[in-house]
Amino acid sequence: MTTSPSSPEPVPSGHAAGSDSPASPEQKKILERIAMQRERLRSRRAAQAQTAQLRSQHAREDGSSPLNPDAPLVSRVVWFARQHPIVLVVAAGAAAAAGPSRIMRWAGILMPLIMKMKR
């Protein structure tokens, strides 16, 4: 296929741009279908590119990936909770079963250890 200088649409290589024989109705129908298919493919590629761009932008804005050890602890905990909701439910159930006094006792033991590890 070649491109005619006067039109941006490709012309089949068997037909010259300035040819005296116009395309038959069947050929025109086929060329129109080809043009519609190309436009559909362009639109799909543009939509996929936009989706990929939005995903990468969202990942950059989120900034709390598990591979980033420098992310704040709260961000990592929120990421973990979003990725593993069942674990969060089990932990909440265990905390409810243990009662507030045990939770406070364990928090008093674990918080200094966590703060020491953070340094």
Side-chain angles (χ1 to χ4, degrees):
M1 295 223 167
T2 60
T3 304
S4 168
S6 61
S7 70
E9 295 182 13
V11 178
S13 56
H15 295 78
S19 173
D20 291 335
S21 62
S24 69
E26 294 86 18
Q27 290 173 334
K28 287 182 181 180
K29 188 190 301 184
I30 291 171
L31 290 174
E32 287 175 7
R33 281 197 336 219
I34 291 171
M36 287 189 317
Q37 184 178 18
R38 285 182 179 158
E39 182 58 35
R40 190 172 61 243
L41 290 173
R42 276 188 214 106
S43 299
R44 185 167 52 178
R45 268 188 244 117
Q48 288 172 346
Q50 184 179 15
T51 302
Q53 182 183 14
L54 287 173
R55 282 184 183 156
S56 66
Q57 182 181 9
H58 178 68
R60 273 186 266 124
E61 288 175 358
D62 189 19
S64 60
S65 68
L67 302 176
N68 185 5
D70 297 330
L73 179 63
V74 173
S75 298
R76 288 183 284 165
V77 169
V78 168
W79 178 86
F80 184 84
R82 286 182 181 163
Q83 295 298 315
H84 308 288
I86 301 298
V87 174
L88 185 66
V89 169
V90 169
S101 62
R102 282 192 181 158
I103 292 173
M104 292 306 290
R105 191 175 330 140
W106 278 100
I109 294 169
L110 291 178
M111 282 306 286
L113 296 174
I114 292 172
M115 297 307 279
K116 198 180 286 187
M117 287 173 36
K118 192 174 178 182
R119 290 183 205 159

